[in-house]
Amino acid sequence: MPQKPGLKRDLAAERAARKAASQQARLVPQGLPTVRPDQLMPSPENGRKKLLKIDELAESLESDGMNTAMTVIPPEVYAEVYPQHREVVEARVAEGVLFVVHHGHRRLAAALKAGLTEVPILVRREVPSLRIAAIQENLQRMGLNPIEEAVEFQEVLDEKDENGKQLSQRELAKRAGCSQTYVSHRVALLRLVPSLQQAVVNHWLKEQALLAPEAHEAEDSEAQLVLPVREAATVYARLRPDLQEAFVRGELTSAQATVVSKAPADAQAIPGPEADDDCAAINQPESTKHPLPEPRGINTSQRQLPVSKQATPRQSTEQHPKAHLPSRKGADQTAAPQAAPATQNTGTAVVIPEEPRGVIVVRSVEELALSIIDLLDPAEIESLKQHLSA
């Protein structure tokens, strides 16, 4: 009896193998030669000694694969250009290395960390100078400016998969190999008016040393406006478009924009002239300044007298008898001072106690002298005069 097809076959294993093969094919661009990551060695002449953000790139490779092929060089060609590394290269060739990486050291490290079994490569056999070629590639490689990145990020966020689901900023950041803050700041730039978007591009060009010198010299040109990404995304992107235009025209300062951006859109407005000065309380006229609080223990009847009309020493003795301010000799130190009459202020009684001995509230030299005369006897006053004149 003929055997039925499929018997004694591990169909589940076959399906898993086909799925793995299709998955690997999806992770590697078609039409390019591929090798195992362990068949590649980093170049000893690599100028980048420390590779950054390998974990983020590895996560991106695990989900989307390596879309950009690494440029590699045959070992014999590399040894001809850099004979000082011949022994190291030949030792690695004996271990199974097939090529030396020219461009793509971060991708190689991330591929090894992600566990990829194949990576795409581009083989170069005639290279006059690997170091000059690396410099040329870095200079010729001009990435997207922040606004272009924002457009790309937003288009990806707007896309829907076969199930109608959209990526979140967190998921997009993980797949792109960057932080969520990086994505959110770029997307926020799309809320800027065109003139402020150009200011962000100008800042990026300035950092890349690509901003034309005449742009710095033009006084009335919008190209002179330079705006960092973080400030643009966290402050100006939160303003209404009309307030953004006001900032471009110079009607809104940076400090005002920072304050206004924290308010809801319907409550945002250009501050009035009185809010222009952060030190308005210091610069306000003398007549409008609020008086300083009076020290405790001040007699309210004497507080309103100007200096020129204050009591003479004889009047001071009548108004402030020594019964209220006892002298050092013969005074009853255990007696409690009498309370001044309560004053009414909007229905609330405020008790102002008499000044205790030893507490002198000074408004002028004359008042200080009166207080001292009132507190000391003649012998103590003469002793004080001798000390002052010494």
Side-chain angles (χ1 to χ4, degrees):
M1 182 176 181
Q3 186 178 11
K4 294 183 179 181
L7 292 181
K8 297 184 180 180
R9 293 171 55 190
D10 191 350
L11 300 181
E14 293 180 7
R15 285 194 298 268
R18 287 195 300 269
K19 184 177 180 180
S22 62
Q23 175 72 8
Q24 184 64 37
R26 184 182 69 83
L27 296 179
V28 178
Q30 300 300 309
L32 292 175
T34 61
V35 294
R36 299 195 313 270
D38 58 359
Q39 293 176 323
L40 302 176
M41 67 169 289
S43 169
E45 289 291 319
N46 180 32
R48 183 174 295 178
K49 304 303 180 184
K50 185 177 181 180
L51 304 178
L52 304 177
K53 296 185 178 181
I54 299 300
D55 294 340
E56 293 85 344
L57 184 55
E59 292 181 358
S60 176
L61 295 182
E62 287 178 356
S63 58
D64 295 332
M66 186 178 296
N67 298 319
T68 304
M70 291 181 288
T71 305
V72 298
I73 302 171
E76 60 274 12
V77 177
Y78 187 91
E80 290 178 3
V81 179
Y82 295 104
Q84 65 271 27
H85 301 303
R86 182 181 298 275
E87 294 183 4
V88 176
V89 172
E90 290 178 352
R92 294 299 306 275
V93 169
E95 298 174 358
V97 167
L98 299 180
F99 298 99
V100 180
V101 174
H102 183 200
H103 297 305
H105 291 84
R106 286 185 66 244
R107 280 168 283 169
L108 174 60
L112 291 171
K113 187 175 184 63
L116 298 184
T117 58
E118 287 184 303
V119 291
I121 59 172
L122 289 175
V123 182
R124 301 188 66 171
R125 300 184 182 276
E126 295 181 0
V127 181
S129 172
L130 297 182
R131 192 174 296 280
I132 293 178
I135 294 174
Q136 289 175 344
E137 178 171 315
N138 289 329
L139 291 178
Q140 295 171 1
R141 182 195 304 157
M142 185 175 179
L144 301 177
N145 65 51
I147 302 301
E148 293 171 336
E149 289 181 344
V151 173
E152 293 293 330
F153 283 149
Q154 189 60 56
E155 289 182 354
V156 174
L157 293 173
D158 292 339
E159 289 180 352
K160 297 181 179 179
D161 59 12
E162 59 275 7
N163 298 324
K165 183 181 178 182
Q166 293 176 302
L167 284 178
S168 64
Q169 289 188 2
R170 183 183 298 275
E171 295 170 338
L172 174 58
K174 183 177 180 180
R175 297 184 63 174
C178 60
S179 65
Q180 183 182 358
T181 302
Y182 187 93
V183 175
S184 63
H185 281 182
R186 262 50 179 187
V187 173
L189 298 179
L190 299 179
R191 299 197 296 268
L192 297 174
V193 295
S195 53
L196 290 184
Q197 289 185 354
Q198 183 60 47
V200 174
V201 175
N202 291 339
H203 184 273
W204 179 81
L205 291 173
K206 183 178 179 181
E207 287 186 332
Q208 303 293 323
L210 298 174
L211 189 62
E214 57 269 15
H216 298 283
E217 300 173 359
E219 296 182 358
D220 300 329
S221 174
E222 286 186 356
Q224 191 180 15
L225 186 60
V226 176
L227 198 59
V229 171
R230 185 178 183 276
E231 184 179 355
T234 58
V235 176
Y236 299 98
R238 297 177 181 177
L239 296 175
R240 295 200 314 263
D242 58 325
L243 296 181
Q244 296 181 27
E245 295 288 357
F247 170 75
V248 175
R249 295 191 300 267
E251 301 172 2
L252 188 69
T253 65
S254 299
Q256 291 173 342
T258 302
V259 176
V260 174
S261 65
K262 298 177 182 179
D266 54 355
Q268 294 179 358
I270 299 179
E274 65 279 0
D276 290 341
D277 192 355
D278 293 336
C279 300
I282 299 177
N283 298 330
Q284 62 182 340
E286 190 71 25
S287 59
T288 61
K289 290 184 178 180
H290 298 288
L292 294 175
E294 296 287 352
R296 290 186 298 176
I298 299 300
N299 193 321
T300 56
S301 62
Q302 186 182 1
R303 180 167 50 200
Q304 299 178 353
L305 291 177
V307 175
S308 60
K309 294 183 181 181
Q310 286 180 356
T312 61
R314 182 181 301 274
Q315 293 171 340
S316 174
T317 305
E318 296 175 356
Q319 294 178 2
H320 301 283
K322 292 185 178 181
H324 294 284
L325 294 174
S327 62
R328 294 180 182 177
K329 296 182 180 180
D332 186 4
Q333 300 296 334
T334 60
Q338 295 181 355
T343 59
Q344 298 294 328
N345 183 12
T346 64
T348 302
V350 179
V351 179
I352 302 180
E354 292 292 339
E355 299 175 84
R357 175 178 173 84
V359 177
I360 301 177
V361 181
V362 179
R363 294 189 184 86
S364 64
V365 176
E366 182 181 5
E367 186 176 351
L368 175 61
L370 293 177
S371 300
I372 292 176
I373 292 174
D374 196 31
L375 288 173
L376 304 180
D377 56 25
E380 291 173 330
I381 293 176
E382 290 299 329
S383 177
L384 176 61
K385 288 181 179 180
Q386 296 177 0
H387 287 290
L388 293 176
S389 61

